[in-house]
Amino acid sequence: MAKEIPYKIYLTEAELPKAWYNVRADMKTDHRPILHPGTLKPVAAEDLTPVFCEELVKQELNSTDRYIEIPEEIRDFYKMYRPSPLVRAYCLEKALGTPAKIYYKYEGGNTSGSHKLNSAIAQAYYAKKQGLKGVTTETGAGQWGTAVSMACSYFGLDLRVYMVKVSYEQKPYRKAVMETYGAKIFASPSNTTEAGRKILAEFPDTTGSLGCAISEAVEAALTTEGYRYVLGSVLNQVLLHQSIIGLEAKTAMLKYDEYPDIVIGSAGGGSNLGGLMAPFMEDKLAGRRAPHFIAVEPASCPSMTRGKFAYDFCDTGKVTPLAKMYTLGSAFIPSANHAGGLRYHGMSPILSQLYHDGFLDEARAVEQTSVFDAAVQFARVEGILPAPESAHAIRVAIDEAIKCKESGEEKTILFGLTGTGYFDLSAYMAYNEGKMSDYIPTDEDLERGFASIPSLPGIQ
Amino acid sequence: MAKEIPYKIYLTEAELPKAWYNVRADMKTDHRPILHPGTLKPVAAEDLTPVFCEELVKQELNSTDRYIEIPEEIRDFYKMYRPSPLVRAYCLEKALGTPAKIYYKYEGGNTSGSHKLNSAIAQAYYAKKQGLKGVTTETGAGQWGTAVSMACSYFGLDLRVYMVKVSYEQKPYRKAVMETYGAKIFASPSNTTEAGRKILAEFPDTTGSLGCAISEAVEAALTTEGYRYVLGSVLNQVLLHQSIIGLEAKTAMLKYDEYPDIVIGSAGGGSNLGGLMAPFMEDKLAGRRAPHFIAVEPASCPSMTRGKFAYDFCDTGKVTPLAKMYTLGSAFIPSANHAGGLRYHGMSPILSQLYHDGFLDEARAVEQTSVFDAAVQFARVEGILPAPESAHAIRVAIDEAIKCKESGEEKTILFGLTGTGYFDLSAYMAYNEGKMSDYIPTDEDLERGFASIPSLPGIQ
């Protein structure tokens, strides 16, 4: 007889993974190397150590070790909110009348409200271990900034957050959370960096951008004794840390003799989907039974579904290295939407390569109103109010479950519920009032973005 | 060898309690009956059924059945967020350097953000079972309103929430959450009830009060076909439903051969402390080993520490029945503080009686700034950002743990962490900026409140 599956599957703390999984070790084709923006040569460790902690640079460049041990101090912190629950969405299944089994891995049950904490605590730990005084970072919507604030507070590190000015002004509560955890917040552009002062002189009324905030945070790390810079997505090290999501999810499913037919994740920079799918991707790369993977992105910022696979800058200011990735061009500006975490012009090089090679099976773009339809439907039956970013995955999970209803197939669906929407209620208000925008970039809009992708003769 | 105690103890869904515990069945002296405001006679079931659901009236008046079965539909809903974790505060213990063991029962892991959902879902279930169309309620800070919104959405009931006008205007996001779950929200006083119109005519600029919102919600229930009224604290039925907190906590502790020496709960109307301590109180009432119980209240609204044990009205408008309880007088207006859930002038009749009879050992009043000191200290080491209400219990738990450090006693402390502070960030901002008020009512302030307690010759 099949085991009875509870609403929520919690692994024990003893079952918490002891190592992260590095999917690069199993990839058939590694992603192309990151290039130095000046020399256009692959970056070496010594190019990165002024910016990132030494141990994190090693992780960033490590393409051979399949498993990397999670230090005990990080595991102890993880135990305050992990293993996170794998939830069987019985109520959603019932509401949809689907024969599909729907599971979601819920990462919103910590105060930062998202999966970002999984990497923030790791990056803070290595900074502390290196004897650093503090770190810098940028934040847009504020999830990443909150996660780093919690992590630095725990390890007694100073933290400077460059927060995009428009968010700084419109989201005082996000600022308040970070300050409660002891972080120092600057509205970006600020007059504390050369990059900030330059932009302020040129555009005194600017409300800032993530690209500008990145420039300021990197400069602050480079020019302050005992500081380094931390980043919450796109990087290989981040996907490595986030593999804990997928490792836990897979162990929990196997415990009940379950295995997903479809794995669905929202994709902005790739930190969540990369983490959730990693151990299932291991199966696919090894030629074993594996799920159909779907990356979900907003139709307003369609880097995988409509972007180019090319070397591009990681920031708008073109000061960072170049990565081979799916990109809309660093000058692409997505139309207004409420999923701040999914507005990045590019995509993690690892995910980009896996998508290019056909191992990440599918990317799907969804429109904002339909995403909020799914979010509200989910909230009403499953209780949890999802973040707009997470609701992109919910949209596709519901669509796939409805397909099963039509075909009668009893598929097992797993999606990542990355976070909660407590700080996104202005978005829900706009939805409740019917004031959502569903603007999709035209081909002309995309061409303007593509024009910013550098032409690099002889480099593939 | 002692079992290794994890950071978080999760009971299995099979261990979810199957019955609520009714402490009244074991009390040496039952609380004095609730009196009809017109006749001053004890209220009978038929006085209450126009306002409350029939089954809930039965529970309200039930002083004999020790256990009341939890219907399966409610248990199924509970499984979406229960059993809630019992957390061993290892990081807090370490930060304090205390030999005490500190546990907290965490009720903030659901979208309503507090324990209120435990009773909201029960009340909505009985309303649905009775074939009602909808329910009405009031909300101040919004926790209870959010919980009822979720519960009504789940069972397909209509909901009208009368929200104190000042909160309606200052907390648009709380309103947005409730609307997302389908509730209809009215700023109180509104022109939709006679009570509201009367107050608006007299005080057109009023920002409302909980007393006024109660009057409107009760009137709306009485005058709308197929509606009843629901309330989130003070009532016996609410304490009954909330006993699930204590039942789970006790089972989880016993699983690890643990038993608390001290049980600490914040107390506003008594719903949380009443629920947390119930099964431990059963031990005390039976003469077995039992903890020392501490009720924590704000110094700004000290109903137990400085109030009178007397019959009083449950609302400011004096339209509700009278209850024998610790009260500051229905006209008492607490000074501004940030714990909206702890501003009620009275206290649950059950808790009041237990305190009067010495079974609830101690009440302690704490000042606001010291409460937020504890909240921030806790957040930085344990991760969770507590609601200001919950932080009252944290303050006393820390104080008791520090006493253990001084005396060397290895006491086991259990406190209730009732909810999260995501919607209370304006309070944290005020704290971060050093703008907290610690006003404590003078004896003259209290006398003005006491003057509103009715004189009832011949009634004890």
Side-chain angles (χ1 to χ4, degrees):
Chain A
M1 203 188 99
K3 294 178 202 166
E4 192 182 337
I5 298 165
Y7 280 68
K8 299 177 304 308
I9 304 173
Y10 279 104
L11 299 178
T12 66
E13 282 163 23
E15 290 170 310
L16 187 77
K18 292 185 175 54
W20 295 299
Y21 168 61
N22 180 14
V23 73
R24 279 179 84 190
D26 287 319
M27 283 167 66
K28 302 296 175 194
T29 314
D30 191 18
H31 69 70
R32 302 287 301 147
I34 306 292
L35 304 181
H36 190 288
T39 63
L40 296 182
K41 301 282 182 215
V43 295
E46 57 267 29
D47 297 320
L48 296 176
T49 44
V51 180
F52 298 110
C53 302
E54 284 160 27
E55 194 63 34
L56 292 166
V57 169
K58 282 187 203 158
Q59 293 180 0
E60 191 64 30
L61 300 177
N62 188 331
S63 62
T64 50
D65 294 323
R66 182 172 281 116
Y67 287 98
I68 292 173
E69 195 186 326
I70 305 174
E72 199 180 336
E73 292 87 340
I74 297 176
R75 282 169 48 85
D76 281 347
F77 185 90
Y78 278 164
K79 285 177 189 167
M80 289 201 288
Y81 71 102
R82 309 202 68 85
S84 71
L86 177 73
V87 187
R88 174 76 183 268
Y90 281 117
C91 295
L92 180 62
E93 290 171 16
K94 194 176 157 196
L96 297 173
T98 178
K101 289 188 268 190
I102 307 175
Y103 289 90
Y104 56 92
K105 181 69 170 164
Y106 177 48
E107 293 289 322
N110 67 77
T111 289
S112 81
S114 82
H115 67 294
K116 295 284 182 183
L117 194 53
N118 300 331
S119 184
I121 193 64
Q123 296 190 46
Y125 166 77
Y126 291 116
K128 186 70 183 178
K129 201 179 160 207
Q130 193 174 321
L132 296 178
K133 190 170 178 306
V135 297
T136 70
T137 197
E138 75 291 323
T139 201
Q143 281 186 338
W144 170 247
T146 307
V148 182
S149 301
M150 292 176 68
C152 286
S153 158
Y154 183 79
F155 282 123
L157 283 169
D158 290 343
L159 170 63
R160 300 186 195 171
V161 180
Y162 289 85
M163 186 173 188
V164 178
K165 191 179 273 179
V166 61
S167 295
Y168 182 95
E169 286 165 358
Q170 288 180 355
K171 296 196 164 189
Y173 293 161
R174 268 293 184 194
K175 177 170 168 276
V177 183
M178 293 188 272
E179 285 175 342
T180 298
Y181 284 96
K184 187 145 176 48
I185 320 296
F186 302 88
S188 171
S190 74
N191 58 15
T192 66
T193 66
E194 201 172 310
R197 285 190 295 271
K198 195 171 155 193
I199 290 170
L200 281 175
E202 202 172 345
F203 307 103
D205 297 327
T206 178
T207 55
S209 70
L210 211 49
C212 169
I214 292 176
S215 303
E216 286 201 273
V218 171
E219 181 187 325
L222 286 168
T223 56
T224 313
E225 182 69 29
Y227 273 68
R228 291 295 184 280
Y229 166 73
V230 296
L231 180 66
S233 193
V234 184
L235 299 174
N236 298 338
Q237 59 184 271
V238 175
L239 265 71
L240 174 73
H241 305 149
Q242 296 294 359
S243 69
I244 193 154
I245 304 173
L247 290 164
E248 286 183 7
K250 192 175 176 186
T251 303
M253 293 194 86
L254 292 178
K255 224 172 153 169
Y256 288 88
D257 301 326
E258 290 279 88
Y259 191 87
D261 299 303
I262 307 175
V263 169
I264 301 164
S266 311
S271 67
N272 154 62
L273 175 61
L276 175 67
M277 76 178 189
F280 300 104
M281 185 58 80
E282 183 181 8
D283 290 341
K284 182 162 284 191
L285 292 165
R288 295 190 291 264
R289 176 190 175 185
H292 179 82
F293 296 108
I294 308 177
V296 192
E297 60 185 14
S300 59
C301 193
S303 56
M304 296 180 91
T305 50
R306 297 174 70 194
K308 290 193 190 303
F309 188 50
Y311 263 111
D312 195 9
F313 291 97
C314 297
D315 69 327
T316 322
K318 303 192 175 186
V319 298
T320 60
L322 294 104
K324 182 78 179 278
M325 60 184 176
Y326 279 86
T327 178
L328 296 164
S330 62
F332 177 78
I333 298 167
S335 64
N337 73 48
H338 292 290
L342 305 181
R343 287 167 56 86
Y344 187 62
H345 69 277
M347 178 55 60
S348 135
I350 290 176
L351 286 202
S352 292
Q353 189 69 44
L354 288 168
Y355 182 51
H356 183 72
D357 294 343
F359 292 105
L360 198 181
D361 302 272
E362 185 185 348
R364 206 179 289 182
V366 290
E367 292 180 36
Q368 185 159 249
T369 297
S370 77
V371 165
F372 276 80
D373 289 343
V376 171
Q377 182 177 15
F378 180 83
R380 291 190 179 186
V381 295
E382 287 286 323
I384 297 167
L385 188 79
E389 289 84 355
S390 320
H392 286 68
I394 299 175
R395 171 73 277 160
V396 171
I398 290 176
D399 290 345
E400 291 298 312
I402 290 172
K403 278 189 208 165
C404 289
K405 183 181 181 179
E406 288 161 358
S407 68
E409 287 176 289
E410 297 180 10
K411 287 187 179 171
T412 299
I413 298 168
L414 167 65
F415 73 89
L417 186 65
T418 53
T420 51
Y422 303 133
F423 289 94
D424 302 287
L425 282 159
S426 57
Y428 280 94
M429 283 168 74
Y431 173 79
N432 291 338
E433 292 163 10
K435 290 179 187 163
M436 290 257 121
S437 158
D438 278 320
Y439 184 81
I440 296 175
T442 62
D443 289 342
E444 291 70 36
D445 293 333
L446 293 186
E447 285 305 327
R448 274 192 295 276
F450 293 151
S452 66
I453 299 174
S455 170
L456 303 172
I459 294 177
Q460 289 191 322
Chain B
M1 200 188 99
K3 293 177 204 168
E4 192 182 338
I5 297 165
Y7 281 68
K8 300 177 304 308
I9 305 174
Y10 279 103
L11 299 178
T12 66
E13 282 163 23
E15 290 170 307
L16 187 77
K18 293 186 173 55
W20 294 300
Y21 168 61
N22 180 14
V23 72
R24 279 179 84 190
D26 287 318
M27 282 167 68
K28 303 296 175 195
T29 314
D30 192 18
H31 69 71
R32 303 284 302 145
I34 306 292
L35 304 181
H36 190 286
T39 64
L40 296 181
K41 301 284 184 215
V43 295
E46 56 267 29
D47 297 320
L48 296 175
T49 45
V51 180
F52 297 112
C53 303
E54 284 161 26
E55 195 63 34
L56 291 166
V57 169
K58 282 186 203 158
Q59 294 181 358
E60 192 64 28
L61 300 176
N62 188 332
S63 62
T64 50
D65 295 323
R66 182 170 282 116
Y67 288 98
I68 292 173
E69 195 186 324
I70 306 173
E72 198 181 335
E73 291 88 339
I74 297 175
R75 282 168 48 83
D76 281 347
F77 185 90
Y78 278 165
K79 286 176 189 167
M80 287 200 290
Y81 70 103
R82 307 202 70 83
S84 70
L86 177 73
V87 186
R88 173 77 182 269
Y90 281 117
C91 296
L92 180 62
E93 290 171 17
K94 193 176 158 197
L96 296 173
T98 179
K101 289 188 267 189
I102 306 175
Y103 289 91
Y104 56 91
K105 181 70 171 165
Y106 178 48
E107 292 289 321
N110 67 76
T111 289
S112 81
S114 84
H115 67 294
K116 296 285 181 183
L117 194 53
N118 300 331
S119 185
I121 193 64
Q123 296 190 46
Y125 166 77
Y126 291 116
K128 187 69 183 179
K129 202 179 159 204
Q130 194 175 321
L132 295 178
K133 190 170 178 309
V135 296
T136 70
T137 196
E138 76 291 322
T139 202
Q143 280 186 337
W144 170 246
T146 306
V148 182
S149 300
M150 290 175 68
C152 286
S153 158
Y154 183 78
F155 282 124
L157 283 167
D158 289 344
L159 170 63
R160 300 186 195 171
V161 180
Y162 289 85
M163 187 172 188
V164 178
K165 191 180 275 179
V166 61
S167 294
Y168 182 95
E169 286 166 357
Q170 288 180 355
K171 296 195 163 188
Y173 293 160
R174 269 291 185 195
K175 178 170 168 277
V177 183
M178 294 187 272
E179 286 175 341
T180 298
Y181 285 97
K184 187 145 174 51
I185 321 296
F186 302 88
S188 171
S190 75
N191 59 13
T192 66
T193 66
E194 203 170 309
R197 285 189 296 269
K198 197 171 153 192
I199 291 170
L200 280 174
E202 203 172 342
F203 308 102
D205 297 328
T206 178
T207 55
S209 71
L210 210 49
C212 169
I214 292 176
S215 305
E216 287 201 272
V218 171
E219 181 187 326
L222 286 168
T223 55
T224 313
E225 183 69 29
Y227 273 69
R228 291 295 184 281
Y229 166 73
V230 297
L231 180 65
S233 192
V234 183
L235 299 174
N236 299 339
Q237 59 185 271
V238 175
L239 266 69
L240 175 73
H241 305 149
Q242 296 294 0
S243 68
I244 193 152
I245 304 173
L247 291 164
E248 285 182 6
K250 193 175 175 185
T251 303
M253 292 193 87
L254 293 178
K255 225 171 152 169
Y256 287 88
D257 301 325
E258 290 281 88
Y259 191 87
D261 299 303
I262 307 174
V263 169
I264 300 164
S266 311
S271 67
N272 154 61
L273 175 61
L276 175 66
M277 77 176 189
F280 299 104
M281 184 58 80
E282 182 182 8
D283 291 340
K284 181 161 284 192
L285 292 166
R288 295 189 291 264
R289 175 190 174 185
H292 178 82
F293 296 108
I294 308 177
V296 192
E297 58 186 16
S300 59
C301 193
S303 56
M304 297 182 91
T305 49
R306 296 174 71 194
K308 289 191 190 303
F309 187 50
Y311 263 112
D312 195 8
F313 291 98
C314 296
D315 69 325
T316 322
K318 302 191 175 186
V319 299
T320 59
L322 293 103
K324 181 80 177 276
M325 60 183 177
Y326 280 87
T327 177
L328 296 164
S330 63
F332 177 79
I333 298 167
S335 64
N337 74 46
H338 291 290
L342 305 180
R343 288 167 55 86
Y344 186 62
H345 69 277
M347 179 54 60
S348 137
I350 291 176
L351 286 202
S352 293
Q353 189 68 45
L354 287 168
Y355 182 50
H356 183 71
D357 294 342
F359 293 106
L360 198 181
D361 302 271
E362 186 185 348
R364 207 178 288 182
V366 289
E367 293 179 36
Q368 186 159 248
T369 297
S370 76
V371 165
F372 276 80
D373 289 342
V376 171
Q377 184 176 13
F378 181 83
R380 291 188 180 186
V381 294
E382 286 287 322
I384 297 168
L385 187 80
E389 290 84 356
S390 320
H392 286 69
I394 298 174
R395 170 74 276 161
V396 171
I398 290 176
D399 290 345
E400 291 298 312
I402 290 172
K403 278 188 208 166
C404 288
K405 184 182 181 180
E406 289 160 359
S407 68
E409 287 176 290
E410 297 180 10
K411 287 186 178 170
T412 299
I413 297 169
L414 167 65
F415 73 90
L417 186 66
T418 53
T420 51
Y422 304 133
F423 289 95
D424 302 287
L425 282 161
S426 56
Y428 279 94
M429 282 167 75
Y431 173 80
N432 292 338
E433 292 162 11
K435 291 180 187 163
M436 291 256 122
S437 158
D438 280 319
Y439 184 81
I440 296 174
T442 63
D443 289 344
E444 291 70 37
D445 292 334
L446 293 186
E447 285 306 326
R448 274 194 293 277
F450 293 151
S452 67
I453 299 174
S455 169
L456 304 172
I459 294 176
Q460 289 191 324

